[in-house]
Amino acid sequence: MSNSIENISKVIGAKRIGTAQANIDWLLTDSRSLGFPEETLFFALKTKRNNGHKYIPDLYERGVRNFVVNDLPENIADYADVNFLQVKDSLKALQSLAADHRKQFRIPIVGVTGSNGKTVVKEWIYQLLSPDKIVTRSPRSYNSQIGVPLSVWLMNEHTQVGVFEAGISEMGEMESLREIIQPTIGVLTNIGGAHQENFFSMQDKCMEKLTLFKDCDVLIYDADNKLISSCVQKSLFTAREIAWSKIDNERPLFIESVEKGVESTTIKYRYLGIPARYTIPFIDDASIENSLHSLAVALYFMVSPTKIAERMATLEPVAMRLEVKDGKNGCVLINDSYNSDLASLDIALDFMQRRSADKSKKRMLILSDILESGQSNKLLYREVAQMVHNRGIDKIIGVGEDISAASNLFDEEKYFFQTTEELIDSNILQKLHDEVILIKGAREFHFEDISDRLELKVHETILEVNLNALIDNLNWYRNKLRPETKLVCMVKASAYGAGSYEVAKTLQDHRVDYLAVAVADEGSVLRKAGITASIMIMDPELTAFKTMFDYKLEPEVYSFQLLEALIKAAGKEGVTNFPIHIKINTGMNRLGFEPEEIPQLIDRLKRQTAVIPRSVFSHLVGSDSAQFDSYTVHQIDIFKKASSELQAAFSHKILCHILNTAGIERFGGAQFDMVRLGLGLYGVDPFTNKVLHNVSTLKSTILQIHNVKKEDTVGYSRKGCLERDSRIAAIPIGYADGLDRRLGNGRAYCLVNGQKAPYIGNICMDVAMIDVTDIDCVEGDRVEIFGDNLPVTVLSDILGTIPYEILTSVSDRVKRIYYQD
C-alpha cells in the first residue's frame, strides 16, 4: 500500500502545488497534536468556529511540509519544499483518503454504534480477540466525522481485525462513516436519548444508526429491544443475525440466566444449542449488556467458550479517560494505566504536553512494553523513541523485556526494569518530585500499583470532573448559535466549583472566544498557569488595575467612577487602548450605566485614549422563567437601542451581548454578536432545571459502619433519633467540604451502591452519618453525594436554592480529579 504524496493526491482528486517527495504516515487535523512533522499530512479543516488554514504558517515553522487545503496561502512563494494539495472540501478529502485506505484490506472489520456503551464494547471486543489476533481499533472515543477516518488510517499491513466505533449527532451523518469503515460485522449497542434534539423520533435515530450496517455479513443486537428489532426488520438487511435474547430460546444466542453476586455476575448462555457460561467482574446492568454484545462477536470469530470464559473473567473496566491527579512531592499524575499501544500513546503524550501548566516541572513517561503491535521490536521502539523525543519528554522509565532491550534508542534520562515489581522495589518512585508523570502501561503490567504509590491521598472525598461532558454541553449550546456568534464562557468561582484551570484549558482548546471570571486575581492565576485566551473581569476592583494591565485582563466597566479610576491608573502605567466591556443597566438594577447616560459616556470615552470599548452588554433578569418573557423582550429592546447608540459613535466594531444560558435557548433572535454561557456549560438547564451532560460528581467513602440500637441517637445534640435497630455509616464529608448542614436529619440522601441512604443526625464539620440499614455495603464503598446518578438539582430543590450554590460550595480541600475521553 502506497502512502506517497503522489498517490494521496490522486486518491483525493487534488490539484497539487509542489513537487517535494514525501511518504505520509500520520494524518493531522489539530495543529496542537503534531508529533512527526516530516511524515505528517495536515488537513486544514473549516468548521463553524474555526479555520485550519490559519495554522499553516506555524506548522510550516515546525517542520510540516504537506498540506491539504481548500484555499492556497496568499504568500505561497514563502513556502519552500512544500506540497499543497488543493481540494474543494478538506474534510471530504480526509474521509475519501480513509475510505480508500480501508478498501486495501480484505479482513474482518467490526463496526460499533449506539447511544451508549460503544467505547466499552469496542474495548472489550479488543480484550477478547487480541490474544489471538492483531487488532487495530479506534483510539478512545474517536467516533466522529473526523475521528473515524483518523482511526481507520491506523490500519497497516499487520492488522488482522479492525474494530471501529461510529457516533452521530444528527440525521444524514452515518452514510459517510459507513463508506469509511465498511464494516463486515455490525454491533448496535442500544438507542438512548443522547442528541435526541437533532432527530424527529427515536425510530429515526435507530434507522440512521443502522445505516452503518447495510452491507454487513453479520449483525449483532439485543433482540428483546422492541425498537431495535422493529427497525432491523424495516431495514431489510440480508446479513446473518446474532441477535441475543433472554426470552426467546429460538434465537441463536439465548441467555439462559444472569446471576449477580456481590462483585461479579455469572451468565449462562446457549449458542447454536451448545450451553456455556462465563463470569464478569461487574454487577451493573450496563456492563452485563456490553458483555453480551462482546460475547456475540467473540463467538462469531469462533473463540472457544473456554477462552471466552477465561478472558471475560479478567475484563478490565474501560478507563476511557486520562485522569489528572495530584501526586506526592509536588508531582502531577496523568494516569492512563489500562492499555498501551502506539496510537493511544501518541494521544496521551499530546494530552500531557497540553496539560503541563507548570513549565518548571519536568515531564516523565513511565511506559511498559507495547504488546501485539505486529511490528518488529526494533521498528516499534524506534518510533516510540522518536515520539518521546518529539513530545519533549525529559525522563523515561521503561518496564518490560522488549522496551528494556531497546533502551539504547532513547536519549532522555532513562531507567529500565524487567518487571513492575522490580521498578517498585528500586525505590526510584519515592525520589520523584516536581514532575508531570504520564503512566502508560499494558494491562498485564498492573501499572495501577505504580499510580497507587505515586498518588497523593489526603482525603477520601473527591470531586470528579468530566471534561468530555463539559465539551458536550458546550457543543449543545453552540449548535443553537449562528456560526458567526461569539461565545463567552463563565469560569468564575473556580469554574462553578469544578476547578478553573482544567476547565479553562479545555475551553481554550475548543476555541471559545472569551473566558469570564469575577475578579482579577482569578484571571491572573489562569494567566500564570498558561491560559492565553481572552479573559473578561466581571467584578473589577479598584485596587487590581495593575494586575489587569500586567496580565491583559479586560474589565467590565459599569460606572463613571470606575471609568475615571481606570483611565487614571492606565495613564500612570502608560497604557493606551486597553479593551473594556461596557455594562448597561436594562432592568437588573444591580450594576451598569443607565441608558440615558450613553451620550455622556460617549463624550468621556472620546476624550481619552487609555481605554477602548471592546464590547457592550447587559444582564437579563428573568430569561429562565416564562412569566417574565415580556420583561425580557423589554430589556432586549432597551439594550438594542443603547448599544446601537454607542456603536454609532465609534468606527471600530463593538461586540454586543445580552443573552445568558437560558437566553441562548429561549431568545435566539437576540444573539447580537456574542452570548454568555454559564450554568448550562456545567450541565444544568436553568429553564427546565434538567441535567444535560453531568460534569461534576461529588463522591465520598464509607469510613466505618456501626450497629446502633433502636431509640438510640446519632450525632451532635442527639438529633438523629432511631426508630429501629440500624446500621449507621460515617462518611468523611461535612459542611466544611460544602455539604450543607440543612441536608441533615433525614431531609436529603446520598447514594450507596445506587441506593438511597438518608443523612441521619446533624451534619458535622468534617463527617456526616447516613442510614445504610437496608443497603448491602461495607466499609470502603463509594458514596455519591451528587453527580451522574443523583442530580445536583435534587439537592438544590430540597434546600430551596439554585444549583449554582451547591456547585460553588464544594470547598478547595476536596480533591478534584479530571478525566476526558
Side-chain angles (χ1 to χ4, degrees), residues 113 174 188 205-214 219 228 231-232 235 237:
T113 192
M174 189 60 86
L188 181 60
K205 181 192 292 186
C206 187
M207 294 298 289
E208 175 69 17
K209 289 181 182 291
L210 284 170
T211 303
L212 179 65
F213 306 134
K214 65 181 183 182
L219 179 61
I228 293 176
C231 290
V232 169
S235 298
F237 289 133

Side-chain angles (χ1 to χ4, degrees), residues 27-32 41-45 52 94 146 150 511:
L27 306 184
L28 182 70
T29 61
D30 187 331
S31 63
R32 298 161 299 177
L41 177 62
F42 177 69
F43 286 77
L45 303 181
L94 171 66
I146 298 172
L150 295 178
R511 298 185 176 92

Side-chain angles (χ1 to χ4, degrees), residues 778-790:
V778 295
E779 293 172 359
D781 280 359
R782 275 292 185 196
V783 179
E784 183 172 321
I785 309 302
F786 65 75
D788 292 338
N789 304 297
L790 177 54

Side-chain angles (χ1 to χ4, degrees), residues 582-764:
I582 304 295
K583 185 172 187 177
I584 298 174
N585 178 27
T586 59
M588 175 73 80
N589 297 319
R590 184 174 62 180
L591 297 170
F593 291 97
E594 299 299 330
E596 56 268 23
E597 293 178 321
I598 296 298
Q600 182 183 350
L601 174 62
I602 292 171
D603 178 66
R604 184 64 187 97
L605 290 171
K606 289 281 192 179
R607 290 187 290 105
Q608 57 81 49
T609 58
V611 299
I612 184 171
R614 178 71 180 100
S615 84
V616 55
F617 72 104
S618 188
H619 269 96
L620 295 177
V621 176
S623 58
D624 58 353
S625 177
Q627 64 177 314
F628 300 127
D629 282 358
S630 60
Y631 193 77
T632 298
V633 172
H634 173 65
Q635 280 191 275
I636 292 170
D637 289 341
I638 293 174
F639 175 71
K640 186 174 183 180
K641 181 180 178 183
S643 59
S644 296
E645 188 177 357
L646 182 67
Q647 176 65 81
F650 293 89
S651 58
H652 73 278
K653 175 63 178 175
I654 301 175
L655 301 173
C656 300
H657 49 110
I658 192 171
L659 295 186
N660 53 9
T661 299
I664 295 171
E665 186 170 355
R666 304 190 60 240
F667 295 93
Q671 290 181 26
F672 294 101
D673 303 301
M674 192 156 66
V675 298
R676 302 186 302 275
L677 182 57
L679 186 62
L681 183 63
Y682 301 95
V684 180
D685 183 330
F687 179 59
T688 64
N689 211 36
K690 291 181 180 178
V691 173
L692 303 173
H693 302 279
N694 180 61
V695 172
S696 297
T697 297
L698 182 59
K699 293 182 177 180
S700 194
T701 306
I702 294 178
L703 291 179
Q704 190 175 28
I705 298 176
H706 284 292
N707 293 311
V708 184
K709 295 292 185 180
K710 176 183 178 181
E711 297 180 355
D712 207 340
T713 61
V714 176
Y716 283 123
S717 304
R718 306 201 69 185
K719 293 286 188 181
C721 298
L722 300 179
E723 297 179 353
R724 60 174 179 169
D725 292 347
S726 304
R727 295 174 75 232
I728 305 300
I731 57 177
I733 182 172
Y735 57 78
D737 300 291
L739 185 63
D740 197 296
R741 199 165 181 268
R742 294 170 293 168
L743 295 172
N745 296 304
R747 287 196 67 195
Y749 60 89
C750 55
L751 296 181
V752 177
N753 295 332
Q755 298 184 60
K756 295 179 181 179
Y759 296 105
I760 185 158
N762 287 331
I763 289 173
C764 311

